Amino acid sequence: MHFWTCVCSLQLLVVTVLGNELQEDYPPISFSCPPLPPLARPARNVYELRPQDIKVVMAMGDSITAGFGIMGAQDDPVLDLYEYRGKSFSIGGDAGANTIASWLRNYNKDLVGMSVGSHVGELCYGAVCPPNQYYPDEDVLNAAQGGAMIPNLVKHEFKYLLSQLIENPAIDMENDWKLLTILIGANDLCLGCSGEVPFLSADDFERHLTELLEEIQKNIPKVFVNYILLFNVSQVYDVSIQSQYCKDVHRVLGIECLCAFQPGKEGIKVREELGRITREYNDRAVKVIDNFAFKYDDFAVVAQPCISQGTAAGLTPAVLSTIDCFHPSLLMHELVTKVMWNCMFTPSSEKDKLFNFWEPLKCPSEETLIYTY
């Protein structure tokens, strides 16, 4: 039997035997909030935004936002290379998907920008993102690219996003309120961890993020930016070692960020370094974002901390894709949807940083804001 066929057969066996049992360790995820009445008037500025105001959703990021690995191992190994953008936590628009965008659609049935369906992965290679690899009919306003690092956002993803905003006749660029969710940094960490190049410095991370936010503010009117502070990538190791299957996958396959899965003292040292640099990136992100606070009526960016200090406690391998035991599974995307939804509708002083997926779903009321403070 061909090696890859053997691996896929093992993946499918693990999903069949363990999948349903492990799902029981988590709360069921579904949208159960009552409808809200139409707004008496639309938001006059970004500090008055409510869910009914959002007309357009957008996303930037890497393979997580692109939806790689969401559906786990498939009968056809070619499908293991696909991105399932329609189920991506921030912007997926497939029927029945539990995503931030799909839940927002309950308040605006004409919401624009959600990515749908699936297709073969789109990849950046270090500083280079090949041109013309987007699938606009499926990606829509999901600009994420597998392998993307923070320099790629300005140089590549932002250009795609801006062009699609301008070309879409369903979007009133000047008057529609837009929600942009950004999750980035995992590949910056993993490439540095691999030893192939030095870690991106905190100064450079700060510079690239500043440039990105300046471009967004100058070129996209009426936008609220959800900037998700980075989780500690090395925590995936603590989840994966609960599963012999995942241990075998990491031993046999050259997965992304393999350096984070080294055993012994060297592995501990690497993961501690990853944690330290993650904290540096997040600290610099907060610094940059603070510089944009309360300066504009039609632009705001909020550092959302609600997954940033989560640990492996309470998590099982069901949150990992059975393709590589690294990327998040559909279950994990849905848990992140719930946590980030609650985060958006919570004032900054009350936001939980510990990835609290057991917290009840927050249902917006007529007074609830998408908080900028």
Side-chain angles (χ1 to χ4, degrees), residues 147-183:
M149 300 183 293
I150 194 164
N152 303 127
L153 268 58
V154 169
K155 296 177 181 178
H156 182 75
E157 293 189 19
F158 177 76
K159 294 178 181 179
Y160 168 80
L161 200 59
L162 186 59
S163 68
Q164 293 301 304
L165 283 167
I166 292 170
E167 295 170 11
N168 193 323
I171 296 173
D172 183 337
M173 187 71 154
E174 295 299 321
N175 296 304
D176 286 347
W177 281 107
K178 308 163 193 73
L179 175 71
L180 169 60
T181 301
I182 301 173
L183 175 60

PDB file of all heavy atoms in Angstrom, residues 147-183:
ATOM      1  N   GLY A 147       0.667  30.167   4.751  1.00  0.00           N
ATOM      2  CA  GLY A 147       2.080  30.518   4.854  1.00  0.00           C
ATOM      3  C   GLY A 147       2.345  31.997   5.027  1.00  0.00           C
ATOM      4  O   GLY A 147       3.509  32.414   5.143  1.00  0.00           O
ATOM      5  N   ALA A 148       1.296  32.826   5.050  1.00  0.00           N
ATOM      6  CA  ALA A 148       1.502  34.275   5.112  1.00  0.00           C
ATOM      7  C   ALA A 148       2.127  34.697   6.432  1.00  0.00           C
ATOM      8  O   ALA A 148       1.827  34.150   7.496  1.00  0.00           O
ATOM      9  CB  ALA A 148       0.184  35.012   4.913  1.00  0.00           C
ATOM     10  N   MET A 149       3.000  35.677   6.346  1.00  0.00           N
ATOM     11  CA  MET A 149       3.591  36.337   7.504  1.00  0.00           C
ATOM     12  C   MET A 149       3.163  37.799   7.482  1.00  0.00           C
ATOM     13  O   MET A 149       2.596  38.278   6.499  1.00  0.00           O
ATOM     14  CB  MET A 149       5.110  36.190   7.477  1.00  0.00           C
ATOM     15  CG  MET A 149       5.573  34.728   7.502  1.00  0.00           C
ATOM     16  SD  MET A 149       7.378  34.543   7.558  1.00  0.00           S
ATOM     17  CE  MET A 149       7.841  35.183   5.958  1.00  0.00           C
ATOM     18  N   ILE A 150       3.450  38.515   8.540  1.00  0.00           N
ATOM     19  CA  ILE A 150       2.921  39.872   8.622  1.00  0.00           C
ATOM     20  C   ILE A 150       3.405  40.780   7.482  1.00  0.00           C
ATOM     21  O   ILE A 150       2.631  41.623   7.009  1.00  0.00           O
ATOM     22  CB  ILE A 150       3.176  40.500  10.010  1.00  0.00           C
ATOM     23  CG1 ILE A 150       2.322  41.760  10.172  1.00  0.00           C
ATOM     24  CG2 ILE A 150       4.654  40.761  10.259  1.00  0.00           C
ATOM     25  CD1 ILE A 150       2.193  42.257  11.590  1.00  0.00           C
ATOM     26  N   PRO A 151       4.629  40.649   6.936  1.00  0.00           N
ATOM     27  CA  PRO A 151       4.981  41.505   5.798  1.00  0.00           C
ATOM     28  C   PRO A 151       4.099  41.260   4.571  1.00  0.00           C
ATOM     29  O   PRO A 151       3.906  42.171   3.759  1.00  0.00           O
ATOM     30  CB  PRO A 151       6.441  41.128   5.511  1.00  0.00           C
ATOM     31  CG  PRO A 151       6.955  40.563   6.787  1.00  0.00           C
ATOM     32  CD  PRO A 151       5.789  39.847   7.393  1.00  0.00           C
ATOM     33  N   ASN A 152       3.554  40.039   4.428  1.00  0.00           N
ATOM     34  CA  ASN A 152       2.722  39.720   3.268  1.00  0.00           C
ATOM     35  C   ASN A 152       1.382  40.438   3.292  1.00  0.00           C
ATOM     36  O   ASN A 152       0.728  40.564   2.257  1.00  0.00           O
ATOM     37  CB  ASN A 152       2.456  38.213   3.186  1.00  0.00           C
ATOM     38  CG  ASN A 152       3.717  37.377   3.118  1.00  0.00           C
ATOM     39  OD1 ASN A 152       3.899  36.457   3.907  1.00  0.00           O
ATOM     40  ND2 ASN A 152       4.587  37.686   2.169  1.00  0.00           N
ATOM     41  N   LEU A 153       0.953  40.908   4.456  1.00  0.00           N
ATOM     42  CA  LEU A 153      -0.370  41.515   4.537  1.00  0.00           C
ATOM     43  C   LEU A 153      -0.451  42.819   3.762  1.00  0.00           C
ATOM     44  O   LEU A 153      -1.407  43.045   3.014  1.00  0.00           O
ATOM     45  CB  LEU A 153      -0.774  41.725   6.005  1.00  0.00           C
ATOM     46  CG  LEU A 153      -1.557  40.562   6.625  1.00  0.00           C
ATOM     47  CD1 LEU A 153      -0.798  39.255   6.565  1.00  0.00           C
ATOM     48  CD2 LEU A 153      -1.939  40.880   8.066  1.00  0.00           C
ATOM     49  N   VAL A 154       0.539  43.670   3.911  1.00  0.00           N
ATOM     50  CA  VAL A 154       0.545  44.927   3.155  1.00  0.00           C
ATOM     51  C   VAL A 154       0.915  44.689   1.701  1.00  0.00           C
ATOM     52  O   VAL A 154       0.286  45.219   0.784  1.00  0.00           O
ATOM     53  CB  VAL A 154       1.518  45.942   3.790  1.00  0.00           C
ATOM     54  CG1 VAL A 154       1.727  47.135   2.867  1.00  0.00           C
ATOM     55  CG2 VAL A 154       0.976  46.427   5.121  1.00  0.00           C
ATOM     56  N   LYS A 155       1.925  43.861   1.480  1.00  0.00           N
ATOM     57  CA  LYS A 155       2.467  43.688   0.132  1.00  0.00           C
ATOM     58  C   LYS A 155       1.552  42.885  -0.785  1.00  0.00           C
ATOM     59  O   LYS A 155       1.635  43.002  -2.011  1.00  0.00           O
ATOM     60  CB  LYS A 155       3.839  43.019   0.209  1.00  0.00           C
ATOM     61  CG  LYS A 155       4.892  43.842   0.927  1.00  0.00           C
ATOM     62  CD  LYS A 155       6.209  43.087   1.040  1.00  0.00           C
ATOM     63  CE  LYS A 155       7.256  43.899   1.782  1.00  0.00           C
ATOM     64  NZ  LYS A 155       8.539  43.149   1.943  1.00  0.00           N
ATOM     65  N   HIS A 156       0.684  42.045  -0.207  1.00  0.00           N
ATOM     66  CA  HIS A 156      -0.095  41.138  -1.039  1.00  0.00           C
ATOM     67  C   HIS A 156      -1.576  41.128  -0.671  1.00  0.00           C
ATOM     68  O   HIS A 156      -2.429  41.468  -1.497  1.00  0.00           O
ATOM     69  CB  HIS A 156       0.484  39.733  -0.922  1.00  0.00           C
ATOM     70  CG  HIS A 156      -0.201  38.711  -1.768  1.00  0.00           C
ATOM     71  ND1 HIS A 156      -0.034  38.635  -3.132  1.00  0.00           N
ATOM     72  CD2 HIS A 156      -1.073  37.717  -1.443  1.00  0.00           C
ATOM     73  CE1 HIS A 156      -0.759  37.650  -3.617  1.00  0.00           C
ATOM     74  NE2 HIS A 156      -1.407  37.075  -2.610  1.00  0.00           N
ATOM     75  N   GLU A 157      -1.901  40.788   0.554  1.00  0.00           N
ATOM     76  CA  GLU A 157      -3.296  40.590   0.928  1.00  0.00           C
ATOM     77  C   GLU A 157      -4.105  41.884   0.874  1.00  0.00           C
ATOM     78  O   GLU A 157      -5.254  41.899   0.415  1.00  0.00           O
ATOM     79  CB  GLU A 157      -3.390  39.959   2.320  1.00  0.00           C
ATOM     80  CG  GLU A 157      -2.856  38.538   2.373  1.00  0.00           C
ATOM     81  CD  GLU A 157      -3.151  37.843   3.693  1.00  0.00           C
ATOM     82  OE1 GLU A 157      -4.050  38.278   4.428  1.00  0.00           O
ATOM     83  OE2 GLU A 157      -2.466  36.834   3.998  1.00  0.00           O
ATOM     84  N   PHE A 158      -3.523  42.976   1.342  1.00  0.00           N
ATOM     85  CA  PHE A 158      -4.257  44.241   1.335  1.00  0.00           C
ATOM     86  C   PHE A 158      -4.614  44.659  -0.087  1.00  0.00           C
ATOM     87  O   PHE A 158      -5.714  45.184  -0.340  1.00  0.00           O
ATOM     88  CB  PHE A 158      -3.446  45.338   2.020  1.00  0.00           C
ATOM     89  CG  PHE A 158      -4.116  46.674   1.978  1.00  0.00           C
ATOM     90  CD1 PHE A 158      -5.189  46.962   2.812  1.00  0.00           C
ATOM     91  CD2 PHE A 158      -3.697  47.652   1.085  1.00  0.00           C
ATOM     92  CE1 PHE A 158      -5.831  48.196   2.751  1.00  0.00           C
ATOM     93  CE2 PHE A 158      -4.329  48.886   1.028  1.00  0.00           C
ATOM     94  CZ  PHE A 158      -5.398  49.153   1.874  1.00  0.00           C
ATOM     95  N   LYS A 159      -3.712  44.438  -1.026  1.00  0.00           N
ATOM     96  CA  LYS A 159      -3.973  44.823  -2.417  1.00  0.00           C
ATOM     97  C   LYS A 159      -5.162  44.053  -2.979  1.00  0.00           C
ATOM     98  O   LYS A 159      -6.008  44.619  -3.683  1.00  0.00           O
ATOM     99  CB  LYS A 159      -2.720  44.589  -3.263  1.00  0.00           C
ATOM    100  CG  LYS A 159      -1.550  45.494  -2.903  1.00  0.00           C
ATOM    101  CD  LYS A 159      -0.320  45.181  -3.730  1.00  0.00           C
ATOM    102  CE  LYS A 159       0.845  46.083  -3.344  1.00  0.00           C
ATOM    103  NZ  LYS A 159       2.076  45.769  -4.123  1.00  0.00           N
ATOM    104  N   TYR A 160      -5.228  42.748  -2.678  1.00  0.00           N
ATOM    105  CA  TYR A 160      -6.377  41.955  -3.126  1.00  0.00           C
ATOM    106  C   TYR A 160      -7.656  42.485  -2.491  1.00  0.00           C
ATOM    107  O   TYR A 160      -8.674  42.681  -3.180  1.00  0.00           O
ATOM    108  CB  TYR A 160      -6.182  40.479  -2.763  1.00  0.00           C
ATOM    109  CG  TYR A 160      -7.450  39.665  -2.934  1.00  0.00           C
ATOM    110  CD1 TYR A 160      -7.848  39.223  -4.200  1.00  0.00           C
ATOM    111  CD2 TYR A 160      -8.262  39.370  -1.843  1.00  0.00           C
ATOM    112  CE1 TYR A 160      -9.024  38.499  -4.365  1.00  0.00           C
ATOM    113  CE2 TYR A 160      -9.439  38.643  -2.004  1.00  0.00           C
ATOM    114  CZ  TYR A 160      -9.815  38.214  -3.263  1.00  0.00           C
ATOM    115  OH  TYR A 160     -10.981  37.497  -3.422  1.00  0.00           O
ATOM    116  N   LEU A 161      -7.613  42.715  -1.202  1.00  0.00           N
ATOM    117  CA  LEU A 161      -8.802  43.150  -0.479  1.00  0.00           C
ATOM    118  C   LEU A 161      -9.325  44.472  -1.026  1.00  0.00           C
ATOM    119  O   LEU A 161     -10.528  44.628  -1.302  1.00  0.00           O
ATOM    120  CB  LEU A 161      -8.460  43.292   1.005  1.00  0.00           C
ATOM    121  CG  LEU A 161      -9.603  43.274   2.004  1.00  0.00           C
ATOM    122  CD1 LEU A 161     -10.391  41.981   1.912  1.00  0.00           C
ATOM    123  CD2 LEU A 161      -9.063  43.455   3.422  1.00  0.00           C
ATOM    124  N   LEU A 162      -8.443  45.425  -1.219  1.00  0.00           N
ATOM    125  CA  LEU A 162      -8.851  46.736  -1.707  1.00  0.00           C
ATOM    126  C   LEU A 162      -9.455  46.636  -3.107  1.00  0.00           C
ATOM    127  O   LEU A 162     -10.490  47.258  -3.400  1.00  0.00           O
ATOM    128  CB  LEU A 162      -7.662  47.692  -1.703  1.00  0.00           C
ATOM    129  CG  LEU A 162      -7.974  49.149  -2.061  1.00  0.00           C
ATOM    130  CD1 LEU A 162      -8.989  49.740  -1.090  1.00  0.00           C
ATOM    131  CD2 LEU A 162      -6.684  49.982  -2.060  1.00  0.00           C
ATOM    132  N   SER A 163      -8.836  45.847  -3.966  1.00  0.00           N
ATOM    133  CA  SER A 163      -9.359  45.719  -5.336  1.00  0.00           C
ATOM    134  C   SER A 163     -10.751  45.092  -5.336  1.00  0.00           C
ATOM    135  O   SER A 163     -11.628  45.512  -6.095  1.00  0.00           O
ATOM    136  CB  SER A 163      -8.406  44.889  -6.199  1.00  0.00           C
ATOM    137  OG  SER A 163      -8.374  43.529  -5.774  1.00  0.00           O
ATOM    138  N   GLN A 164     -10.973  44.105  -4.476  1.00  0.00           N
ATOM    139  CA  GLN A 164     -12.278  43.458  -4.412  1.00  0.00           C
ATOM    140  C   GLN A 164     -13.342  44.383  -3.828  1.00  0.00           C
ATOM    141  O   GLN A 164     -14.498  44.375  -4.259  1.00  0.00           O
ATOM    142  CB  GLN A 164     -12.193  42.179  -3.578  1.00  0.00           C
ATOM    143  CG  GLN A 164     -11.358  41.078  -4.215  1.00  0.00           C
ATOM    144  CD  GLN A 164     -11.881  40.658  -5.576  1.00  0.00           C
ATOM    145  OE1 GLN A 164     -13.038  40.282  -5.715  1.00  0.00           O
ATOM    146  NE2 GLN A 164     -11.039  40.736  -6.593  1.00  0.00           N
ATOM    147  N   LEU A 165     -12.981  45.182  -2.864  1.00  0.00           N
ATOM    148  CA  LEU A 165     -13.909  46.159  -2.312  1.00  0.00           C
ATOM    149  C   LEU A 165     -14.352  47.153  -3.386  1.00  0.00           C
ATOM    150  O   LEU A 165     -15.537  47.492  -3.506  1.00  0.00           O
ATOM    151  CB  LEU A 165     -13.262  46.917  -1.157  1.00  0.00           C
ATOM    152  CG  LEU A 165     -13.159  46.203   0.186  1.00  0.00           C
ATOM    153  CD1 LEU A 165     -12.222  46.967   1.113  1.00  0.00           C
ATOM    154  CD2 LEU A 165     -14.535  46.057   0.835  1.00  0.00           C
ATOM    155  N   ILE A 166     -13.405  47.627  -4.162  1.00  0.00           N
ATOM    156  CA  ILE A 166     -13.694  48.625  -5.191  1.00  0.00           C
ATOM    157  C   ILE A 166     -14.545  48.033  -6.309  1.00  0.00           C
ATOM    158  O   ILE A 166     -15.465  48.690  -6.829  1.00  0.00           O
ATOM    159  CB  ILE A 166     -12.378  49.201  -5.749  1.00  0.00           C
ATOM    160  CG1 ILE A 166     -11.665  50.025  -4.671  1.00  0.00           C
ATOM    161  CG2 ILE A 166     -12.637  50.056  -6.986  1.00  0.00           C
ATOM    162  CD1 ILE A 166     -10.259  50.439  -5.042  1.00  0.00           C
ATOM    163  N   GLU A 167     -14.274  46.779  -6.662  1.00  0.00           N
ATOM    164  CA  GLU A 167     -14.934  46.173  -7.819  1.00  0.00           C
ATOM    165  C   GLU A 167     -16.300  45.581  -7.507  1.00  0.00           C
ATOM    166  O   GLU A 167     -17.077  45.309  -8.427  1.00  0.00           O
ATOM    167  CB  GLU A 167     -14.032  45.079  -8.409  1.00  0.00           C
ATOM    168  CG  GLU A 167     -12.734  45.596  -8.994  1.00  0.00           C
ATOM    169  CD  GLU A 167     -11.767  44.481  -9.356  1.00  0.00           C
ATOM    170  OE1 GLU A 167     -12.194  43.304  -9.341  1.00  0.00           O
ATOM    171  OE2 GLU A 167     -10.601  44.787  -9.656  1.00  0.00           O
ATOM    172  N   ASN A 168     -16.624  45.375  -6.240  1.00  0.00           N
ATOM    173  CA  ASN A 168     -17.871  44.709  -5.888  1.00  0.00           C
ATOM    174  C   ASN A 168     -19.045  45.699  -5.941  1.00  0.00           C
ATOM    175  O   ASN A 168     -19.109  46.623  -5.135  1.00  0.00           O
ATOM    176  CB  ASN A 168     -17.763  44.104  -4.490  1.00  0.00           C
ATOM    177  CG  ASN A 168     -18.891  43.140  -4.186  1.00  0.00           C
ATOM    178  OD1 ASN A 168     -20.031  43.352  -4.578  1.00  0.00           O
ATOM    179  ND2 ASN A 168     -18.576  42.076  -3.465  1.00  0.00           N
ATOM    180  N   PRO A 169     -19.990  45.498  -6.861  1.00  0.00           N
ATOM    181  CA  PRO A 169     -21.088  46.465  -6.991  1.00  0.00           C
ATOM    182  C   PRO A 169     -22.062  46.440  -5.812  1.00  0.00           C
ATOM    183  O   PRO A 169     -22.867  47.381  -5.657  1.00  0.00           O
ATOM    184  CB  PRO A 169     -21.795  46.009  -8.274  1.00  0.00           C
ATOM    185  CG  PRO A 169     -21.451  44.560  -8.413  1.00  0.00           C
ATOM    186  CD  PRO A 169     -20.064  44.419  -7.850  1.00  0.00           C
ATOM    187  N   ALA A 170     -21.997  45.397  -4.990  1.00  0.00           N
ATOM    188  CA  ALA A 170     -22.889  45.307  -3.833  1.00  0.00           C
ATOM    189  C   ALA A 170     -22.392  46.133  -2.652  1.00  0.00           C
ATOM    190  O   ALA A 170     -23.085  46.242  -1.638  1.00  0.00           O
ATOM    191  CB  ALA A 170     -23.066  43.847  -3.412  1.00  0.00           C
ATOM    192  N   ILE A 171     -21.178  46.702  -2.774  1.00  0.00           N
ATOM    193  CA  ILE A 171     -20.570  47.442  -1.672  1.00  0.00           C
ATOM    194  C   ILE A 171     -20.589  48.937  -1.955  1.00  0.00           C
ATOM    195  O   ILE A 171     -20.150  49.384  -3.012  1.00  0.00           O
ATOM    196  CB  ILE A 171     -19.122  46.969  -1.431  1.00  0.00           C
ATOM    197  CG1 ILE A 171     -19.106  45.504  -0.990  1.00  0.00           C
ATOM    198  CG2 ILE A 171     -18.427  47.848  -0.393  1.00  0.00           C
ATOM    199  CD1 ILE A 171     -17.718  44.902  -0.901  1.00  0.00           C
ATOM    200  N   ASP A 172     -21.117  49.680  -1.005  1.00  0.00           N
ATOM    201  CA  ASP A 172     -21.036  51.141  -1.039  1.00  0.00           C
ATOM    202  C   ASP A 172     -19.805  51.522  -0.209  1.00  0.00           C
ATOM    203  O   ASP A 172     -19.852  51.591   1.005  1.00  0.00           O
ATOM    204  CB  ASP A 172     -22.304  51.747  -0.439  1.00  0.00           C
ATOM    205  CG  ASP A 172     -22.323  53.272  -0.510  1.00  0.00           C
ATOM    206  OD1 ASP A 172     -21.236  53.884  -0.605  1.00  0.00           O
ATOM    207  OD2 ASP A 172     -23.416  53.858  -0.446  1.00  0.00           O
ATOM    208  N   MET A 173     -18.703  51.727  -0.903  1.00  0.00           N
ATOM    209  CA  MET A 173     -17.407  51.903  -0.239  1.00  0.00           C
ATOM    210  C   MET A 173     -17.435  53.037   0.782  1.00  0.00           C
ATOM    211  O   MET A 173     -16.867  52.926   1.874  1.00  0.00           O
ATOM    212  CB  MET A 173     -16.331  52.166  -1.292  1.00  0.00           C
ATOM    213  CG  MET A 173     -14.921  52.200  -0.738  1.00  0.00           C
ATOM    214  SD  MET A 173     -14.348  50.562  -0.242  1.00  0.00           S
ATOM    215  CE  MET A 173     -12.569  50.788  -0.436  1.00  0.00           C
ATOM    216  N   GLU A 174     -18.101  54.117   0.467  1.00  0.00           N
ATOM    217  CA  GLU A 174     -18.069  55.292   1.324  1.00  0.00           C
ATOM    218  C   GLU A 174     -19.010  55.199   2.508  1.00  0.00           C
ATOM    219  O   GLU A 174     -18.756  55.803   3.551  1.00  0.00           O
ATOM    220  CB  GLU A 174     -18.408  56.542   0.496  1.00  0.00           C
ATOM    221  CG  GLU A 174     -17.391  56.875  -0.580  1.00  0.00           C
ATOM    222  CD  GLU A 174     -16.001  57.155  -0.006  1.00  0.00           C
ATOM    223  OE1 GLU A 174     -15.918  57.788   1.069  1.00  0.00           O
ATOM    224  OE2 GLU A 174     -15.017  56.736  -0.634  1.00  0.00           O
ATOM    225  N   ASN A 175     -20.081  54.429   2.379  1.00  0.00           N
ATOM    226  CA  ASN A 175     -21.134  54.481   3.395  1.00  0.00           C
ATOM    227  C   ASN A 175     -21.351  53.188   4.175  1.00  0.00           C
ATOM    228  O   ASN A 175     -21.937  53.231   5.262  1.00  0.00           O
ATOM    229  CB  ASN A 175     -22.450  54.909   2.739  1.00  0.00           C
ATOM    230  CG  ASN A 175     -22.388  56.313   2.176  1.00  0.00           C
ATOM    231  OD1 ASN A 175     -22.076  57.262   2.893  1.00  0.00           O
ATOM    232  ND2 ASN A 175     -22.651  56.458   0.886  1.00  0.00           N
ATOM    233  N   ASP A 176     -20.934  52.057   3.653  1.00  0.00           N
ATOM    234  CA  ASP A 176     -21.143  50.788   4.345  1.00  0.00           C
ATOM    235  C   ASP A 176     -20.130  50.605   5.477  1.00  0.00           C
ATOM    236  O   ASP A 176     -18.908  50.772   5.260  1.00  0.00           O
ATOM    237  CB  ASP A 176     -21.008  49.604   3.380  1.00  0.00           C
ATOM    238  CG  ASP A 176     -22.197  49.472   2.445  1.00  0.00           C
ATOM    239  OD1 ASP A 176     -23.232  50.123   2.700  1.00  0.00           O
ATOM    240  OD2 ASP A 176     -22.090  48.708   1.466  1.00  0.00           O
ATOM    241  N   TRP A 177     -20.612  50.228   6.649  1.00  0.00           N
ATOM    242  CA  TRP A 177     -19.701  49.884   7.744  1.00  0.00           C
ATOM    243  C   TRP A 177     -19.134  48.490   7.511  1.00  0.00           C
ATOM    244  O   TRP A 177     -19.851  47.565   7.132  1.00  0.00           O
ATOM    245  CB  TRP A 177     -20.431  49.940   9.084  1.00  0.00           C
ATOM    246  CG  TRP A 177     -20.602  51.327   9.599  1.00  0.00           C
ATOM    247  CD1 TRP A 177     -21.757  52.059   9.637  1.00  0.00           C
ATOM    248  CD2 TRP A 177     -19.581  52.170  10.160  1.00  0.00           C
ATOM    249  NE1 TRP A 177     -21.525  53.308  10.176  1.00  0.00           N
ATOM    250  CE2 TRP A 177     -20.192  53.410  10.507  1.00  0.00           C
ATOM    251  CE3 TRP A 177     -18.215  52.002  10.395  1.00  0.00           C
ATOM    252  CZ2 TRP A 177     -19.488  54.455  11.080  1.00  0.00           C
ATOM    253  CZ3 TRP A 177     -17.507  53.064  10.957  1.00  0.00           C
ATOM    254  CH2 TRP A 177     -18.141  54.267  11.301  1.00  0.00           C
ATOM    255  N   LYS A 178     -17.830  48.351   7.770  1.00  0.00           N
ATOM    256  CA  LYS A 178     -17.102  47.126   7.452  1.00  0.00           C
ATOM    257  C   LYS A 178     -16.415  46.576   8.701  1.00  0.00           C
ATOM    258  O   LYS A 178     -15.902  47.352   9.517  1.00  0.00           O
ATOM    259  CB  LYS A 178     -16.060  47.400   6.364  1.00  0.00           C
ATOM    260  CG  LYS A 178     -16.651  48.096   5.140  1.00  0.00           C
ATOM    261  CD  LYS A 178     -15.573  48.728   4.273  1.00  0.00           C
ATOM    262  CE  LYS A 178     -16.178  49.670   3.249  1.00  0.00           C
ATOM    263  NZ  LYS A 178     -16.659  50.943   3.867  1.00  0.00           N
ATOM    264  N   LEU A 179     -16.393  45.261   8.812  1.00  0.00           N
ATOM    265  CA  LEU A 179     -15.682  44.582   9.900  1.00  0.00           C
ATOM    266  C   LEU A 179     -14.541  43.777   9.298  1.00  0.00           C
ATOM    267  O   LEU A 179     -14.771  42.913   8.444  1.00  0.00           O
ATOM    268  CB  LEU A 179     -16.627  43.645  10.658  1.00  0.00           C
ATOM    269  CG  LEU A 179     -15.977  42.775  11.744  1.00  0.00           C
ATOM    270  CD1 LEU A 179     -15.551  43.632  12.945  1.00  0.00           C
ATOM    271  CD2 LEU A 179     -16.927  41.667  12.196  1.00  0.00           C
ATOM    272  N   LEU A 180     -13.320  44.074   9.716  1.00  0.00           N
ATOM    273  CA  LEU A 180     -12.131  43.362   9.235  1.00  0.00           C
ATOM    274  C   LEU A 180     -11.484  42.629  10.402  1.00  0.00           C
ATOM    275  O   LEU A 180     -11.118  43.244  11.403  1.00  0.00           O
ATOM    276  CB  LEU A 180     -11.126  44.361   8.628  1.00  0.00           C
ATOM    277  CG  LEU A 180      -9.722  43.830   8.311  1.00  0.00           C
ATOM    278  CD1 LEU A 180      -9.782  42.683   7.316  1.00  0.00           C
ATOM    279  CD2 LEU A 180      -8.835  44.957   7.785  1.00  0.00           C
ATOM    280  N   THR A 181     -11.355  41.306  10.267  1.00  0.00           N
ATOM    281  CA  THR A 181     -10.713  40.501  11.304  1.00  0.00           C
ATOM    282  C   THR A 181      -9.340  40.054  10.821  1.00  0.00           C
ATOM    283  O   THR A 181      -9.200  39.526   9.714  1.00  0.00           O
ATOM    284  CB  THR A 181     -11.576  39.273  11.652  1.00  0.00           C
ATOM    285  OG1 THR A 181     -12.857  39.715  12.108  1.00  0.00           O
ATOM    286  CG2 THR A 181     -10.921  38.437  12.741  1.00  0.00           C
ATOM    287  N   ILE A 182      -8.326  40.266  11.665  1.00  0.00           N
ATOM    288  CA  ILE A 182      -6.940  39.923  11.330  1.00  0.00           C
ATOM    289  C   ILE A 182      -6.386  38.984  12.391  1.00  0.00           C
ATOM    290  O   ILE A 182      -6.445  39.271  13.591  1.00  0.00           O
ATOM    291  CB  ILE A 182      -6.053  41.184  11.256  1.00  0.00           C
ATOM    292  CG1 ILE A 182      -6.578  42.160  10.197  1.00  0.00           C
ATOM    293  CG2 ILE A 182      -4.595  40.799  10.965  1.00  0.00           C
ATOM    294  CD1 ILE A 182      -5.847  43.503  10.187  1.00  0.00           C
ATOM    295  N   LEU A 183      -5.842  37.858  11.936  1.00  0.00           N
ATOM    296  CA  LEU A 183      -5.085  36.942  12.802  1.00  0.00           C
ATOM    297  C   LEU A 183      -3.812  36.584  12.064  1.00  0.00           C
ATOM    298  O   LEU A 183      -3.854  35.943  11.004  1.00  0.00           O
ATOM    299  CB  LEU A 183      -5.905  35.686  13.115  1.00  0.00           C
ATOM    300  CG  LEU A 183      -5.169  34.590  13.910  1.00  0.00           C
ATOM    301  CD1 LEU A 183      -4.703  35.105  15.266  1.00  0.00           C
ATOM    302  CD2 LEU A 183      -6.056  33.359  14.079  1.00  0.00           C
TER     303      LEU A 183
END
